[in-house]
Amino acid sequence: MSSAVLIAGDAHPQLARRIAQESAASVVPAAVARFADGETRVRIEGDVRDADVYIVQPTSPPVNEHLMSLALLADAARAAGAARVTAVLPYFGYARQDTRKAPGEPRSAQLACRILESAGVARLVALELHSPALDSAFRIPLFHLDADGVAVPALRAWRLEALTVVAPDAGGLKRAQRYAAALGAPLAAVAKTRTAPDASAVLGVLGEVRGRDCLIVDDLVSTGGTLAGAAKALRGAGAASVQAFFVHAVMAPGTLERLAAAGLQRLATTDSVPLPAASTLEIISIAPVLAREISRLAR
Ligand code: R5P
């Protein structure tokens, strides 16, 4: 098999360029356009015969559009003779719907994976999935990465005096525990309940946060409700300051304003999805992590 070839999907070409700069992979251009009726049209504009192809495409909003263009690019690569296609999903939309929470619901994350699989994707590379349990739910190999290697040094450089790492909900406990261990800080947690698919309420703060510089660590921010609720609860419990790091800034409209109003002093995220222009977010690039994995897999 020849060496790695990168194809940038339409969701985040800037990140694909950053990954290409960090790796030895060559880039084959691809065009993604829409017909007037809304159908997606893709074309790979280079030679991928016998190539080990990596398509970089977070399925960030609009999730369905980006999932479909990824599937079409994978099919196009296979049809053009690619030896193997790996989908690199810096953010995997649908990953939060990993289990059926009520009768009548689909297994959305598994279905999204099967769509990619039937389009010719042989392997997935994903970053900070909502639930690592997805690993066993997928039929094709999944290489699941975390952002710790780039995020921990950046957060350590904040030099928070009385640092306590906080999980904003029970689902985020393991991740927060990892960061607390790496940063040598105690751990606290916020108890949260979901009142509707995009709404949550804080039940209480677990652990000692009075007078502490709290760092909330989460996988993603979508509406900002979880983070804003946790920040307010921590303030209410006497935290000296509250800041946050989250891996995926999925950010529905109005989210930055919501976070600003919650009294968060500093916010950092990665470039796993395209970020709102001129935002106050501190960006930690995930490109080196993805480039390293692509180089490792392409060997
Ligand atoms: C939830 O379980 C996740 O880990 C995130 O905390 C959540 O999805 C964030 O969503 P939102 O910003 O809408 O509260």
Side-chain angles (χ1 to χ4, degrees):
M1 202 180 290
S2 63
S3 58
V5 163
L6 280 192
I7 293 177
D10 56 335
H12 201 353
Q14 305 88 326
L15 178 62
R17 275 196 294 276
R18 279 174 219 140
I19 294 171
Q21 281 161 9
E22 300 262 351
S23 68
S26 55
V27 181
V28 165
V32 179
R34 307 260 178 267
F35 286 105
D37 65 357
E39 285 181 18
T40 304
R41 175 175 189 264
V42 312
R43 192 169 56 213
I44 295 174
E45 297 173 331
D47 186 6
V48 295
R49 262 173 308 168
D50 298 326
D52 187 14
V53 169
Y54 296 81
I55 306 174
V56 179
Q57 174 88 328
T59 52
S60 50
V63 176
N64 294 342
E65 297 287 341
H66 289 153
L67 181 66
M68 189 62 190
S69 37
L70 173 57
L72 290 170
L73 283 168
D75 186 70
R78 290 294 286 161
R84 180 173 59 191
V85 175
T86 303
V88 179
L89 291 124
Y91 168 70
F92 186 8
Y94 281 111
R96 280 190 292 175
Q97 297 188 61
D98 53 336
T99 52
R100 296 172 70 221
K101 299 220 164 49
E105 290 187 354
R107 291 161 297 178
S108 308
Q110 287 88 333
L111 176 62
C113 183
R114 283 206 306 279
I115 289 170
L116 297 179
E117 191 184 337
S118 63
V121 170
R123 310 183 295 182
L124 293 179
V125 174
L127 175 73
E128 290 280 3
L129 288 171
H130 179 61
S131 162
L134 276 174
D135 195 357
S136 52
F138 292 164
R139 292 186 299 196
I140 55 176
L142 167 69
F143 301 93
H144 187 205
L145 310 177
D146 61 51
D148 305 15
V150 286
V152 168
L155 297 170
R156 189 177 289 124
W158 285 8
R159 297 188 187 287
L160 294 167
E161 289 261 310
L163 174 65
T164 290
V165 175
V166 181
D169 54 27
L173 252 182
K174 280 208 167 129
R175 183 178 303 103
Q177 203 174 0
R178 264 186 359 241
Y179 277 78
L183 292 165
L187 179 68
V190 174
K192 167 186 111 173
T193 182
R194 278 234 170 263
T195 49
D198 270 330
S200 57
V202 169
L203 300 172
V205 174
L206 312 170
E208 192 43 67
V209 298
R210 181 163 300 282
R212 307 293 296 176
D213 297 310
C214 292
L215 170 65
I216 304 171
V217 175
D218 205 359
D219 58 339
L220 76 106
V221 163
S222 173
T223 64
T226 300
L227 203 48
K232 283 183 196 152
L234 292 167
R235 284 284 194 193
S241 68
V242 185
Q243 30 277 306
F245 166 69
F246 46 94
V247 181
H248 308 296
V250 183
M251 301 281 189
T255 299
L256 274 176
E257 294 73 13
R258 191 174 196 180
L259 297 181
L264 283 142
Q265 271 163 286
R266 231 169 146 172
L267 290 171
T269 188
T270 75
D271 53 358
S272 68
V273 300
L275 294 157
S279 80
T280 49
L281 298 169
E282 295 179 31
I283 312 303
I284 303 165
S285 183
I286 204 67
V289 175
L290 296 169
R292 205 175 310 122
E293 185 66 2
I294 289 170
S295 305
R296 190 184 72 79
L297 291 174
R299 260 190 250 135

